[in-house]
Structures are given as C-alpha cells and as structure tokens.
C-alpha cells in the first residue's frame, strides 16, 4: 500500500507537498483503513488548488517503471514548476507491504529523463544510482545479484532493468513494489472521453468491454439502483457489439450513448472499470469522480468502493454531502490548500467523533489547521 507520497518542483507544486496516508484509530468504519493506512481517501479543495495535479504526480512513476498506458499528454507541458529555477522535479513514494517499508525516490528533468533513483528497504539503502558520470552507482547485491549493469540511457530506469532481468521474486519486496506500480489505475470522468493511465494498454470501446464481461444484466440493475430504468441489448456494429437501449416492447432500439445523459455515461464508465479491473488493481485514483453525478449516485459509488478492500482508492470531489461519517471518517477525508494536503483530523484541535457533522464544520471553516 502507499503510505506517504512527496512531490516538489513538479507542475503547480513548487515546494514540497506531502500526502500522508497514515491513519489514526477510530472505532467506526474500520474497513476504510488497512494496517494503519488509509485505504479509501476523499480529497477536497478549491478549484485550481492542485487536486488533479496530485493524481498526475502520483502516476508519474507509471511512465518509467511500467509499460502500461502513460497518458503522455498530461506530462509533456510544464513538467517543471514555472516559478522555479531548479532543473529537476523530485518524487518520493513510501510503500508498506505487511511489516516492511520500501521507499523509492527519484528526480527527473522532464517526463522521460531520470536524474537519479534511490531505494531504501526498512531504512537500509539498497540502491543509489545517478545517471550523471560523476554520481553514485551503488546497487546492493540483494537487488541485482550478478547482473551486469552499465546503463548509459537515462530514459531506462535501472529499477525496471533489474526487475525485468532478474529471476521472478529474486527480491520479493522489489517485486511487490513493481507489481503495485504496474496495477495502478487513474481515470477521469467522461468530459474528455475514456481517459486513463496505468494498468492497461490500448483503447477498447466501453460497449465492447461491457459485452466481454457478460454483465449487461448487472449493469441494468446498477442503473436501476441509481433510479435509471433501461432495457438493454447488443447489436452487431462493424464487427463489434454496440450497446442498445430498447423501447416500445422491443420494437425500437437506439445506441445507448445517444440518449444517455453525461451523468449516466459517467456511471457507465465506473461500472465498466469496476467490472473489468477492480479485482486486479492495486491503487485507484478517480479525478472528479462525481462531476456529473447527483449526490445520491455519488454516495452509491462511495459505498461501492468502500466494499472493495483489496485496493486503495483516492477520489477528488467538491461534493461535501459525501463528507459524513456514515460514508467516510475524519482521517480518510483530506483538505487541500496551497501546497498542503492534510486529513480533517489533523486540521483541527477538536477531538472528532462519529457524531460530529464533518460537512458543517468544513463549510464553516473549522478545518484550517
């Protein structure tokens, strides 16, 4: 699991931003925390404060450690903070795997060019690799064994090179970190189409993806649970399968997307991702997950994700209706301000309890710590 993340000099984050996911003890909604780490996080903050940029920063690691979808357009422009004279962006991930801690740090001067990579395992440095001629090239034998490493291309990660060229599980904690990164998924709502990063490759139509799951009946029920009543079927279209909405007792049908609202399509996107991927991902970041959803539909998504305990999820939202202790808890809700993100329980001197109305305290400016 991701325990802590730091980023600086990247896009809008000139100074160090720390996203700390260590939880505290609350006697309610205990399933939202795993091994003392927040497993289901909600991030709030004003427009333009950096919620989306945080997601982009978190997924920078996908670009050089994996071969999964990279969404290069998110990184090509203004990679380095425009107010800074420093040449490099720095990223630091702290992972917790059972009782072991793995810290991975690196710097880049653009989306492709690594400056250095470092790894600590349970506080012990096992890798400190600089891509400059005069920098350190230290790699502990426990990571690479007898593998000969002489990389001259700073577009090729030494960590990825070791992982791909040593026996499976040669170093179990490195393997777990790499598999965690390979199974991270970021996606954004349908305002820009099915935009995603990580986990998967290629672009398949949502219609075809739903068809392959065989869950059209479950999708109808999912929509019905959100008070959307459709009868659905498939029709052949250019060698694929098009999702159709059926009317007039089956005598008429039209493509589902042609009559579905933006909010309904957002639910469609969530259902497809959840049906095809949630049993395999490690970490989920949904940017503006409820931008087109009624507050009750958004709450249903939260309940659905809260039942998924096998992966971490982080959602960004402006919907303070979701900020209630029957859906979340104070250490799982984060308030983002300029170059700072902090959980609600750390943003006030008040001892928060299950009976407190988090939304009311938030709206009245009670979380300014």
């Amino acid at each position: 699991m991701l325990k802590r993340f730091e980023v600086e000099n990247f896009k809008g984050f000139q100074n160090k931003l720390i996203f700390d996911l260590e939880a505290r003890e609350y006697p309610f909604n205990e399933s939202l925390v795993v091994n003392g780490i927040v497993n289901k996080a909600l991030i709030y903050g004003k427009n333009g404060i950096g919620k989306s940029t945080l997601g982009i920063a978190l997924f920078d690691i996908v670009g050089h450690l994996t071969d999964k979808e990279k969404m290069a357009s998110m990184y090509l422009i203004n990679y380095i903070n425009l107010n800074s004279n420093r040449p490099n962006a720095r990223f630091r991930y702290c992972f917790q795997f059972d009782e072991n801690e793995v810290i991975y740090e690196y710097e880049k001067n653009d989306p492709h060019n690594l400056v250095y990579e470092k790894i600590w395992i349970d506080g012990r440095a096992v890798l400190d690799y600089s891509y400059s001629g005069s920098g350190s090239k230290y790699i502990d034998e426990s990571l690479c064994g007898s593998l000969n490493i002489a990389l001259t291309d700073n577009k090729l990660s030494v960590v990825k090179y070791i992982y791909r060229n040593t026996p499976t599980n040669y170093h179990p904690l490195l393997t777990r970190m790499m598999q965690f990164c390979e199974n991270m998924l970021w996606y954004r709502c349908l305002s820009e189409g099915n935009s995603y990063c990580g986990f998967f490759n290629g672009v398949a139509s949502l219609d075809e993806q739903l068809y392959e799951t065989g869950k059209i009946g479950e999708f109808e029920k999912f929509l019905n649970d959100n008070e959307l009543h459709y009868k659905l079927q498939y029709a052949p279209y250019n060698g694929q399968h098009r999702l159709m909405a059926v009317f007039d007792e089956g005598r008429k049908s039209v493509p589902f997307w042609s009559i579905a609202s933006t909010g309904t399509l957002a639910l469609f996107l969530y259902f497809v991702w959840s049906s095809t991927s949630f049993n395999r991902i490690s970490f989920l970041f949904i940017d503006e997950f409820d931008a087109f959803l009624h507050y009750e539909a958004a709450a249903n998504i939260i309940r659905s994700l809260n039942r998924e305990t096998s992966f971490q999820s982080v959602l960004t939202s402006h919907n303070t209706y979701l900020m209630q202790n029957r859906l979340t808890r104070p250490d799982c809700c984060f308030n983002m301000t300029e170059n700072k993100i902090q959980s609600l329980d750390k943003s006030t001197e008040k001892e928060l309890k299950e009976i407190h109305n988090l939304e009311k305290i938030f709206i009245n400016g009670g979380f300014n710590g």
Side-chain angles (χ1 to χ4, degrees), residues 126-350:
V126 296
L127 184 142
D128 183 354
Y129 194 92
S130 171
Y131 291 86
S132 68
S134 58
S136 169
K137 295 286 193 291
Y138 169 72
I139 305 174
D140 193 279
E141 286 187 2
S142 66
L143 282 187
C144 63
S146 59
L147 180 66
N148 182 31
I149 298 174
L151 300 182
T152 57
D153 184 359
N154 65 348
K155 294 179 174 61
L156 175 60
S157 160
V158 66
V159 176
K160 180 179 179 181
Y161 181 82
I162 292 170
Y163 174 66
R164 294 294 172 86
N165 291 281
T166 51
T168 302
N169 250 8
Y170 180 83
H171 196 294
L173 291 174
L174 177 64
T175 299
R176 291 186 71 173
M177 185 190 85
M178 292 295 294
Q179 289 176 344
F180 185 96
C181 295
E182 288 175 336
N183 291 308
M184 294 169 66
L185 171 65
W186 172 100
Y187 82 82
R188 177 176 284 162
C189 234
L190 280 165
S191 59
E192 299 178 6
N194 186 10
S195 300
Y196 75 96
C197 179
F199 183 68
F200 189 71
N201 290 104
V203 178
S205 74
L206 295 176
D207 287 12
E208 192 68 20
Q209 288 184 67
L210 180 63
Y211 175 80
E212 290 176 359
T213 68
K215 295 183 177 181
I216 187 171
E218 291 182 33
F219 181 49
E220 285 184 351
K221 182 180 184 305
F222 175 76
L223 292 177
N224 188 68
D225 290 343
N226 285 282
E227 300 183 18
L228 296 163
H229 307 290
Y230 287 94
K231 177 62 180 174
L232 302 172
Q233 66 180 28
Y234 281 101
Y237 179 76
N238 287 345
Q240 292 191 322
H241 303 88
R242 170 166 284 183
L243 185 64
M244 308 293 287
V246 180
F247 298 90
D248 193 18
E249 297 182 349
R251 287 185 286 269
K252 301 173 184 175
S253 64
V254 295
F256 176 70
W257 60 264
S258 69
I259 60 167
S261 69
T262 306
T264 303
L265 291 174
L267 290 171
F268 183 27
L269 180 60
Y270 174 81
F271 184 86
V272 170
W273 275 121
S274 66
S275 298
T276 59
S277 308
F278 282 9
N279 63 333
R280 293 175 289 158
I281 64 174
S282 59
F283 183 91
L284 173 68
F285 193 105
I286 312 180
D287 191 25
E288 299 183 21
F289 89 102
D290 58 344
F292 306 108
L293 299 180
H294 184 270
Y295 70 91
E296 290 179 344
N300 286 338
I301 296 293
I302 293 292
R303 293 187 187 96
S304 171
L305 282 171
N306 285 350
R307 292 190 291 269
E308 300 281 355
T309 58
S310 63
F311 61 86
Q312 270 181 293
S313 65
V314 178
L315 312 179
T316 69
S317 177
H318 293 285
N319 184 357
T320 57
Y321 171 81
L322 304 175
M323 195 184 285
Q324 50 182 294
N325 282 326
R326 65 189 182 93
L327 295 173
T328 183
R329 44 188 263 180
D331 54 346
C332 295
C333 278
F334 293 80
N335 184 28
M336 194 167 189
T337 54
E338 187 173 357
N339 232 91
K340 184 177 181 180
I341 181 169
Q342 191 166 251
S343 59
L344 298 188
D345 68 296
K346 295 176 182 175
S347 302
T348 179
E349 295 180 358
K350 182 189 291 287

Side-chain angles (χ1 to χ4, degrees), residues 65-80:
L65 286 191
T66 82
D67 296 322
K68 303 301 174 69
E69 178 64 39
K70 295 174 174 55
M71 281 291 290
S73 61
M74 297 193 300
Y75 298 93
L76 289 176
I77 300 174
N78 303 327
Y79 187 81
I80 302 297

